[in-house]
């Protein structure tokens, strides 16, 4: 069962990567910023075709008209601006097209259990699924929650504030709940912690480490491990648990909750 869940999560990640890889970004709505690489063409004037990167001052250089401030504009707004500048002195009725070749100015940081943690560039209005796809998906060792930390800039004398958005990964990736597919913004920090595990040993059919989900009981943990063998001493199940004072051994019932790093021991019956 554990391997089946891992395989399902892996397949979902691959499907998402393929899906969002073929969805073109809307360069007409994306706000241009520092580092973005633009390809600008003028119909019937191939000599004016230009590839230029937005400078730290928010400018590009374009033939005939020189420096053009583009920071904070969309691709469509840049087209209109260059059309007007060309039309004023150089070309009658120019037709200009702006294509974003590289997105560099808008990005989020992904940390934790992503296949490729680090910086992810945003392409226009982006969602959480797109970011997960561009980060290579989420590893099988991921916990159940994803956290988006966002800085909110307040006006006036109020200080800036951080908010944290919590996303249920099961709803997002396994159940396809679109309400969990949150929008992401430039500067967001997205974190997926590693899951906690319980280690099931002894007279179970598939001993090993199992991810702890919400309200995981001793009975559920044993079920994940394939159930008890015929030799199991059901009334003698114990947990070895780490505490601040060291390890303690606890006799447990089937409805007791397990805790991170518990070692669940199912001994052999003496009868």
């Amino acid at each position: 069962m554990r391997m089946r869940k891992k395989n399902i999560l892996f397949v979902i990640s691959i499907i998402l990567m393929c899906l969002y890889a073929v969805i073109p970004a809307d360069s007409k709505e994306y706000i241009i910023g520092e580092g973005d690489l633009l390809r600008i063409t003028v119909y019937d004037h191939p000599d004016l075709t230009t590839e230029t990167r937005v400078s730290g001052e928010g400018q590009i250089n374009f033939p005939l008209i020189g420096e053009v401030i583009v920071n904070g504009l969309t691709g469509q707004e840049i087209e209109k601006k260059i059309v007007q500048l060309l039309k004023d002195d150089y070309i009658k009725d120019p037709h200009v097209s702006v294509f974003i070749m590289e997105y560099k100015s808008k990005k989020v940081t992904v940390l934790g259990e992503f296949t490729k943690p680090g910086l992810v560039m945003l392409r226009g209005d982006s969602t959480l699924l797109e970011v997960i796809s561009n980060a290579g998906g989420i590893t099988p060792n991921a916990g159940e929650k994803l956290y988006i930390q966002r800085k909110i800039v307040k006006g006036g004398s109020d200080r800036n504030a951080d908010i944290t958005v919590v996303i249920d990964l099961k709803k997002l990736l396994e159940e396809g709940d679109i309400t969990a597919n949150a929008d992401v913004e430039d500067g967001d920090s997205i974190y997926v912690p590693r899951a906690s595990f319980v280690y099931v040993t002894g007279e179970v059919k598939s001993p090993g480490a199992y991810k702890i989900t919400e309200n995981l009981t001793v009975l559920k943990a044993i079920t994940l491990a394939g159930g008890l063998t015929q030799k199991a001493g059901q009334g003698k199940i114990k947990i070895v648990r780490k505490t601040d004072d060291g390890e303690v051994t606890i006799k447990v019932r089937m409805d007791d909750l397990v805790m991170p790093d518990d070692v669940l021991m199912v001994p052999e019956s003496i009868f």
Side-chain angles (χ1 to χ4, degrees):
M1 184 178 293
R2 179 180 56 162
M3 289 304 298
R4 182 181 300 173
K5 287 185 176 180
K6 287 185 177 182
N7 290 337
I8 290 173
L9 191 56
F10 176 76
V11 170
I12 291 173
S13 297
I14 293 299
I15 292 173
L16 290 175
M17 291 174 66
C18 294
L19 174 63
Y20 287 103
V22 300
I23 298 178
D26 188 352
S27 62
K28 303 302 181 186
E29 299 299 327
Y30 175 79
I31 304 299
I32 303 298
E34 179 185 354
D36 290 337
L37 180 63
L38 310 180
R39 179 181 176 87
I40 305 172
T41 58
V42 182
Y43 177 72
D44 209 26
H45 292 273
D47 53 315
L48 295 182
T49 297
T50 301
E51 291 184 8
T52 179
R53 195 175 296 277
V54 181
S55 70
E57 292 72 36
Q59 298 176 334
I60 60 170
N61 282 295
F62 192 76
L64 300 179
I65 57 180
E67 292 183 344
V68 181
I69 297 176
V70 298
N71 191 56
L73 302 179
T74 65
Q76 193 170 38
E77 289 170 336
I78 295 172
E79 290 173 0
K80 292 179 180 179
K81 186 170 187 176
I82 294 177
V83 163
Q84 189 60 52
L85 291 170
L86 289 173
K87 185 168 61 175
D88 287 344
D89 297 304
Y90 303 104
I91 300 174
K92 182 180 180 180
D93 193 25
H95 296 274
V96 176
S97 176
V98 174
F99 177 74
I100 304 171
M101 299 184 68
E102 291 182 12
Y103 295 80
K104 293 291 187 182
S105 62
K106 309 296 187 296
K107 48 188 170 291
V108 297
T109 303
V110 296
L111 303 169
E113 293 302 315
F114 287 91
T115 302
K116 298 185 291 185
L119 293 178
V120 173
M121 303 302 167
L122 301 182
R123 301 187 175 191
D125 295 333
S126 298
T127 64
L128 189 53
L129 282 177
E130 291 176 76
V131 170
I132 291 173
S133 172
N134 291 329
I138 292 174
T139 74
N141 292 329
E144 293 185 294
K145 304 295 183 183
L146 176 148
Y147 301 89
I148 303 174
Q149 188 170 30
R150 179 173 299 154
K151 189 174 293 294
I152 302 298
V153 180
K154 296 182 177 180
S157 59
D158 292 340
R159 295 181 178 179
N160 296 343
D162 288 346
I163 64 170
T164 300
V165 180
V166 182
I167 302 295
D168 187 320
L169 283 176
K170 182 178 180 180
K171 288 184 178 180
L172 177 65
L173 298 179
E174 295 183 26
E175 299 177 7
D177 186 345
I178 59 174
T179 63
N181 188 22
D183 292 332
V184 296
E185 299 179 6
D186 180 34
D188 282 354
S189 181
I190 304 173
Y191 175 62
V192 177
R194 184 179 177 85
S196 299
F197 289 84
V198 58
Y199 303 90
V200 186
T201 66
E203 293 302 320
V204 291
K205 295 177 181 177
S206 300
Y210 293 88
K211 187 185 295 187
I212 295 180
T213 55
E214 188 174 1
N215 297 323
L216 185 68
T217 63
V218 170
L219 176 59
K220 290 179 181 177
I222 291 173
T223 302
L224 290 175
L228 300 172
T229 69
Q230 293 181 348
K231 298 180 180 179
Q234 184 170 338
K236 300 179 180 181
I237 298 173
K238 298 179 180 180
I239 281 179
V240 177
R241 178 169 296 163
K242 295 179 181 178
T243 69
D244 293 339
D245 297 324
E247 291 185 347
V248 296
T249 301
I250 307 167
K251 186 175 180 179
V252 292
R253 298 173 301 180
M254 287 295 187
D255 59 353
D256 286 342
L257 295 177
V258 300
M259 297 181 63
D261 297 324
D262 275 354
V263 179
L264 179 57
M265 304 176 65
V266 180
E268 182 178 354
S269 173
I270 60 175
F271 299 104

